[in-house]
Amino acid sequence: MGGSDSSAGETQSREWAWPSPAQGNASFEHLSILASDIFDASSVLLVLEDADRLWVSPGSDLKLTACISTLLCRLVIDGNAPRLIEDTLDPPVSEEDFPLDQIPQVRFLAGYPLYLQGSRPVGALCLLDDTPRKFDDRAWRLLRGLTQQAEELLRLHAQCRQKAQEQARSRKLSSLYYNVFDSCREPIYVRNRSGSFLAANRASYALMDEKTENLPEQVRLSDYFPKEVVERLEQGEREVIEHHESRSVLLPPIKNCQFEITISPLIDELGDVRGVVSVAHDITEEHRQALLLKVLHQGITDYQALMSGERLWDFLLQALRKLTLSDYGLIGEVIDQQGTPSLRIHAITDLIWDEESRQLMQGLRSGDVLLSNPESLLGRVFAQGETVMSDDLYSRPKQGGFPPNNPRLHNYLGVPIYDGETLIGMYGIANGHQGYDEALLERLKPFTATCALLINLYRQFAEREQVMQELAYARDEAERASQAKSEFLSGMSHEFRTPLNAILGFAQLLLNSRRSPLDERQRRQVAHVEKSGHHLLNLINEVLDLSQIEAGRLQLSLEAVSLQVVIQDVVETLSAAAYQGDVTIKFDECTEDLRVRADYTRLKQVLLNLLSNAIKYNSRPGHVHIHCRPRQETLRVIVSDTGPGIPKDRHAELFQPFSRLGAEHGAIEGTGIGLSLTKKLVERMAGTIGVESVKGRGSQFWFELPLALESKTVSGISRGSKRTALHSHAQRRWQVLHIEDNPANQRLMEDIFIDYPMLELHGAASAEAGMELLKNQPIDLILMDIHLPGIDGYQALNRLRQESRFTDLPIIGLSADAMQRDAYRDTATEFTDFLTKPLDITALIDAISKTLPESVARS
């Protein structure tokens, strides 16, 4: 057995209760005697650590002190293992192993540690002799058996002690509970199912004027309380026993005191109801005043919580019955039904005597049944605004009649609830145990005023809920409209881009054809076709970008971007347009490499929009000036022009979609989307945008973006970088499968591949046909259209990736739907690359060159 630290031993000794001398002396003395007889030892020691307990076999030949005996046993305890010294002098034992000089009379020692729960010994059983001895395996087994008996004795003593402590605690708790029960000011009693008293506290004896605290077993409630009190109590007890639920019962007055008694089921350990436990609460006048204040405070401060749990009106009705000691009550709201006042019940006490009355109560509670008779006892209150108080209901000619078997009503009070001069509700109570009078009506005024406030709050709450529902419906409609718009734009994008793919593709082929070059006139004509196609494509892109931003689906990659690089790139892109428009562009290069946190592509788009507008709407000749102004945490970029300017009262229209401020009637092309899109892009990059312009003095458009703190600069594609190109390969031709259902696009791809003899094109009009072709034709690359008849490009991609031989096959996705570029990135299985139609032929060849195996030469 391994040793352990002292902390473990300390914990163990605290967990186990050592036997007291009275508990353990006899048992352990018998054990030590047995050990002495078995081994014929001079002395047997049994020591318990940290407990000052030592047992020595009687008649020991060795005269050892308690200190020496404990010291010998500690040799075993501290070693945490059985210990044997057959002869302390042969060979001589070291002082550390055995204190020979202190106990020379001991020549033999055999000891075994005692364990309980842990690995740390809690004591030891040792055999001593004054002559050397041999100790064989049988002796060890016997010693271990005796040690286990000692350990079992320790466990039994600990269990007995623990049980005794638990019993003592239980007696102490029982005494405490009884003292609490007996000293409680409120009467508490316990009765079994047959009605016999099992227990009662002093307050109960005092209420019954019983001097003794031992009620006779057959005592009856009728011996102490009036008949109506006993009937109410016994009825409540029967309901609690039947339904296994607590009930509150309002009792008629007892000794000029009013009590509400809470009756709960008395449940035994098997879950059976043995009887009831009843607690009586004194709710006389002083208590009712405190209750009124509590009701008013809670009704107002906890209004939201009460409303959310639909407990407000039941809470108020319960409080009203307590305040007035009434058996029945209701609270309702006056509503207008085509000019006729009606009462909608919010809370009502059960008045059920048959199935028809039950259905009526359900209808009243749900609001499906309204009360409208103005001549009834209720109608005179909610329709005519009277306060009705009566102690003789059945003799009044206009009480409205009572149904057969209706519980008899002894008295009645109906109180209207006004908001200013407007009647908004009422409450009614009946069978008040102390009757109703003007003094009670006066005391109820704060309650009535609170009801008026809460009814108004309830109406506002209901109106707000209605508005929230209408807003939610409008939001859902807007989301559905946005989804429909996105689907429409996606479809429109596909329908426009598909023919544009052919138009721009063939225009690029004609302009760049090396086999059949065009003459100057033809090149000019085809250039106009290409320019118009790109103009239409730009319009489509702007509409789609604006839609994606509004739908919150535009993805941005915010990085540290060098502003100077982006501006130079944009200026070079638009330099030809500026030259044709007789506009000079001036760019004040930044004195330092200023960087902003932005998406490179979208920042370039912002600058392209602002600079192209400055060129288009400028005077002839004109000037455009671009410069930067660093601020504390942002950088402002200003694009100034020498155009006609914009009236100040129309500045707000500039960034509205499709607003061109009258330019739509001129010769300059545009949709009015560019500035609106620019503003949204800047704001998505945490920036701001604005304009300063005076009519006749030009315009200054500016935007600000946060300065970037990162040291790494993203500068985009460097100008003049070489594009990859495909070259002929002497060994083989690369097999490319083009899956496309549009005949014009099929023909375009065939014409593109004519200029690249190292690529052999195979066509398929559907994904199914393409996958069938793959069974017999080795393919190096697939160009996959997304919108296909049958299974689409995504489904085809997933099927191919599930086959091991196509896991690494390059597949480039092609789509006329620009929104698909972002969609494909979110799929678990991705394309090798993705190109949007209309295809840029150079970009297509670059993608093919990068995708094919490394054996294709590139420059």
Side-chain angles (χ1 to χ4, degrees):
M1 298 183 185
S4 65
D5 57 26
S6 61
S7 63
E10 292 173 3
T11 302
Q12 184 170 274
S13 67
R14 286 193 297 270
E15 290 175 351
W16 287 86
W18 304 116
S20 65
Q23 291 174 321
N25 278 349
S27 299
F28 287 103
E29 283 178 3
H30 292 159
L31 185 64
S32 63
I33 294 171
L34 177 62
S36 179
D37 290 342
I38 290 173
F39 292 101
D40 191 23
S42 299
S43 183
V44 177
L45 305 178
L46 196 156
V47 172
L48 298 182
E49 185 183 33
D50 296 336
D52 194 22
R53 296 287 183 269
L54 169 66
W55 286 270
V56 183
S57 57
S60 173
D61 296 335
L62 294 175
K63 303 303 181 183
L64 303 175
T65 65
C67 180
I68 294 298
S69 299
T70 303
L71 178 63
L72 289 170
C73 287
R74 288 217 59 87
L75 295 176
V76 180
I77 295 172
D78 293 342
N80 195 12
R83 185 71 182 272
L84 174 64
I85 303 177
E86 293 181 330
D87 188 351
T88 58
L89 301 179
D90 185 22
V93 181
S94 67
E95 180 64 26
E96 290 184 0
D97 290 337
F98 192 81
L100 189 60
D101 58 337
Q102 298 183 42
I103 43 177
Q105 68 272 37
V106 176
R107 296 288 304 277
F108 169 82
L109 169 75
Y112 214 104
L114 298 176
Y115 297 94
L116 289 179
Q117 291 178 327
S119 58
R120 169 72 179 170
V122 298
L125 177 63
C126 296
L127 307 176
L128 306 177
D129 214 326
D130 54 3
T131 59
R133 298 180 57 169
K134 293 295 182 182
F135 212 67
D136 56 15
D137 291 340
R138 179 178 177 275
W140 275 119
R141 287 196 300 271
L142 290 173
L143 181 59
R144 182 181 180 186
L146 289 172
T147 304
Q148 290 174 341
Q149 288 297 318
E151 291 171 349
E152 189 61 30
L153 284 173
L154 286 174
R155 292 189 183 95
L156 289 174
H157 282 299
Q159 291 172 3
C160 291
R161 182 180 179 87
Q162 183 178 4
K163 185 175 180 180
Q165 289 175 343
E166 290 176 353
Q167 291 175 346
R169 282 196 298 268
S170 178
R171 288 193 298 271
K172 187 175 180 181
L173 283 174
S174 297
S175 176
L176 175 63
Y177 292 153
Y178 180 78
N179 290 335
V180 172
F181 167 79
D182 200 42
S183 60
C184 182
R185 288 187 174 185
E186 295 185 321
I188 305 174
Y189 68 86
V190 184
R191 298 213 305 168
N192 62 19
R193 296 176 69 100
S194 62
S196 299
F197 279 88
L198 301 179
N201 66 351
R202 294 180 187 177
S204 298
Y205 297 128
L207 186 63
M208 294 184 288
D209 289 332
E210 183 67 39
K211 304 301 182 182
T212 176
E213 295 186 0
N214 295 310
L215 291 173
E217 186 175 348
Q218 300 302 322
V219 71
R220 295 174 298 177
L221 288 174
S222 57
D223 295 338
Y224 299 98
F225 301 116
K227 179 181 179 181
E228 58 270 19
V229 174
V230 175
E231 290 177 349
R232 192 71 55 81
L233 281 173
E234 291 181 342
Q235 178 185 354
E237 290 179 358
R238 286 194 298 271
E239 291 176 353
V240 169
I241 293 173
E242 179 182 354
H243 298 287
H244 297 196
E245 293 179 353
S246 299
R247 298 281 177 97
S248 292
V249 177
L250 190 65
L251 299 180
I254 302 174
K255 298 180 180 179
N256 298 322
C257 294
Q258 188 64 50
F259 289 94
E260 179 186 48
I261 189 163
T262 300
I263 306 174
S264 301
L266 176 64
I267 301 175
D268 63 15
E269 62 274 6
L270 298 178
D272 297 327
V273 178
R274 293 181 53 200
V276 296
V277 179
S278 301
V279 181
H281 310 282
D282 189 347
I283 54 170
T284 48
E285 185 62 31
E286 294 79 5
H287 293 80
R288 291 201 300 270
Q289 294 301 323
L291 177 61
L292 175 60
L293 294 175
K294 180 180 178 181
V295 169
L296 301 182
H297 180 266
Q298 185 176 354
I300 295 174
T301 58
D302 293 352
Y303 174 76
Q304 291 288 355
L306 292 169
M307 280 299 302
S308 62
E310 299 182 351
R311 297 181 292 110
L312 174 65
W313 306 111
D314 288 333
F315 163 76
L316 289 175
L317 180 58
Q318 183 181 8
L320 176 64
R321 290 178 54 225
K322 288 182 179 180
L323 288 168
T324 59
L325 305 178
S326 301
D327 291 339
Y328 306 111
L330 64 84
I331 299 178
E333 176 188 3
V334 176
I335 61 173
D336 185 80
Q337 291 283 89
Q338 299 178 345
T340 302
S342 298
L343 185 68
R344 173 183 289 150
I345 300 296
H346 287 311
I348 186 170
T349 310
D350 275 335
L351 278 170
I352 298 174
W353 57 90
D354 57 19
E355 184 59 31
E356 184 178 354
S357 64
R358 182 184 302 277
Q359 293 178 0
L360 174 62
M361 283 295 160
Q362 291 176 350
L364 289 172
R365 282 198 172 96
S366 65
D368 296 333
V369 176
L370 302 179
L371 302 179
S372 57
N373 181 4
E375 299 300 324
S376 66
L377 283 172
L378 298 177
R380 291 172 55 193
V381 182
F382 71 76
Q384 303 176 32
E386 294 183 36
T387 298
V388 179
M389 187 184 303
S390 174
D391 291 328
D392 187 11
L393 299 177
Y394 296 89
S395 64
R396 300 175 70 92
K398 293 185 178 182
Q399 88 282 356
F402 295 101
N405 300 321
N406 182 79
R408 187 169 185 82
L409 304 181
H410 308 299
N411 46 35
Y412 165 75
L413 173 62
V415 180
I417 301 173
Y418 281 93
D419 177 26
E421 297 182 357
T422 304
L423 182 61
I424 61 173
M426 69 156 290
Y427 61 83
I429 45 180
N431 287 11
H433 297 294
Q434 294 182 339
Y436 306 125
D437 54 23
E438 294 295 333
L440 174 65
L441 193 62
E442 185 68 23
R443 290 198 301 271
L444 287 176
K445 281 185 177 181
F447 179 86
T448 308
T450 302
C451 286
L453 173 63
L454 295 179
I455 288 176
N456 280 326
L457 288 174
Y458 171 79
R459 289 179 171 180
Q460 294 173 12
F461 187 83
E463 290 174 1
R464 188 183 71 175
E465 286 296 310
Q466 179 65 27
V467 170
M468 294 299 292
Q469 291 178 4
E470 292 174 357
L471 287 175
Y473 176 78
R475 179 199 61 208
D476 294 342
E477 286 293 304
E479 289 178 354
R480 283 192 288 270
S482 177
Q483 179 65 23
K485 180 182 71 174
S486 297
E487 292 173 358
F488 166 75
L489 290 173
S490 177
M492 182 194 74
S493 167
H494 182 267
E495 294 303 319
F496 275 114
R497 287 172 180 271
T498 298
L500 272 176
N501 186 55
I503 293 170
L504 292 176
F506 282 117
Q508 292 176 71
L509 285 177
L510 289 172
L511 287 172
N512 300 306
S513 176
R514 290 176 288 184
R515 295 188 178 187
S516 302
L518 303 177
D519 59 31
E520 189 60 33
R521 178 171 171 273
Q522 291 170 328
R523 288 183 61 82
R524 186 171 61 254
Q525 292 170 342
V526 174
H528 280 297
V529 172
E530 185 185 30
K531 179 182 178 183
S532 297
H534 279 296
H535 177 67
L536 180 56
L537 180 61
N538 288 335
L539 297 181
I540 295 172
N541 287 338
E542 285 184 344
V543 172
L544 289 176
D545 284 344
L546 188 62
S547 174
Q548 283 188 297
I549 292 174
E550 291 176 347
R553 290 196 296 268
L554 185 69
Q555 296 185 352
L556 298 177
S557 176
L558 299 180
E559 302 170 287
V561 179
S562 171
L563 191 61
Q564 180 169 311
V565 171
V566 181
I567 294 176
Q568 288 174 345
D569 197 1
V570 171
V571 170
E572 287 186 11
T573 301
L574 295 177
S575 59
Y579 177 78
Q580 292 177 359
D582 198 13
V583 174
T584 303
I585 300 176
K586 180 184 178 183
F587 169 42
D588 293 342
E589 293 193 5
C590 305
T591 55
E592 56 180 317
D593 186 17
L594 294 173
R595 291 168 289 116
V596 292
R597 185 163 180 78
D599 181 290
Y600 179 87
T601 302
R602 297 305 180 179
L603 176 56
K604 183 177 178 180
Q605 187 176 355
V606 168
L607 284 165
L608 280 170
N609 283 343
L610 294 180
L611 191 55
S612 62
N613 278 352
I615 294 171
K616 283 195 300 184
Y617 298 103
N618 214 322
S619 57
R620 302 292 184 268
H623 299 276
V624 174
H625 184 199
I626 306 173
H627 59 284
C628 309
R629 286 183 185 172
R631 300 191 170 219
Q632 287 185 345
E633 297 181 354
T634 61
L635 181 66
R636 174 173 287 198
V637 181
I638 303 170
V639 179
S640 305
D641 64 55
T642 55
I646 305 165
K648 190 171 184 178
D649 59 350
R650 305 202 69 179
H651 285 187
E653 301 176 45
L654 283 169
F655 299 104
Q656 298 298 321
F658 308 107
S659 175
R660 298 192 62 204
L661 277 63
E664 63 271 16
H665 303 300
I668 301 175
E669 296 176 335
T671 60
I673 297 177
L675 282 178
S676 174
L677 175 61
T678 299
K679 182 175 185 295
K680 292 183 181 296
L681 286 174
V682 170
E683 291 173 348
R684 281 295 306 276
M685 293 186 289
T688 56
I689 190 170
V691 61
E692 297 172 6
S693 180
V694 178
K695 189 171 179 59
R697 298 184 184 179
S699 304
Q700 283 189 355
F701 284 84
W702 58 265
F703 66 90
E704 288 184 6
L705 291 174
L707 284 167
L709 302 178
E710 297 90 340
S711 60
K712 182 180 178 181
T713 300
V714 177
S715 56
I717 301 174
S718 60
R719 299 176 303 280
S721 62
K722 292 184 179 181
R723 296 184 180 272
T724 58
L726 290 171
H727 294 275
S728 298
H729 194 275
Q731 300 295 325
R732 59 173 291 187
R733 298 179 71 195
W734 301 100
Q735 307 300 310
V736 180
L737 173 60
H738 181 217
I739 302 177
E740 169 66 67
D741 63 316
N742 185 282
N745 289 337
Q746 294 171 359
R747 181 60 184 169
L748 171 62
M749 194 65 71
E750 292 170 1
D751 288 352
I752 292 173
F753 273 56
I754 289 174
D755 290 335
Y756 299 93
M758 76 294 298
L759 301 175
E760 183 173 349
L761 186 67
H762 302 269
S766 67
E768 292 88 345
M771 288 188 286
E772 187 66 29
L773 185 146
L774 283 170
K775 293 179 181 179
N776 303 311
Q777 173 65 51
I779 294 296
D780 300 302
L781 169 67
I782 296 178
L783 302 176
M784 176 84 72
D785 188 46
I786 299 301
H787 295 279
L788 293 168
I791 65 173
D792 62 22
Y794 288 120
Q795 294 168 324
L797 174 68
N798 288 326
R799 291 191 186 184
L800 289 173
R801 292 299 189 226
Q802 290 172 5
E803 297 188 37
S804 59
R805 59 193 179 119
F806 299 132
T807 301
D808 299 321
L809 178 63
I811 303 176
I812 298 177
L814 307 176
S815 177
D817 186 353
M819 294 181 179
Q820 291 288 351
R821 175 178 292 275
D822 293 329
Y824 104 91
R825 291 174 180 157
D826 297 331
T827 60
T829 305
E830 294 187 359
F831 288 101
T832 308
D833 203 345
F834 196 96
L835 300 176
T836 303
K837 299 176 184 178
L839 294 174
D840 182 292
I841 295 177
T842 304
L844 172 65
I845 298 304
D846 283 349
I848 293 174
S849 176
K850 294 175 183 177
T851 304
L852 284 175
E854 289 298 326
S855 55
V856 178
R858 303 189 182 105
S859 63

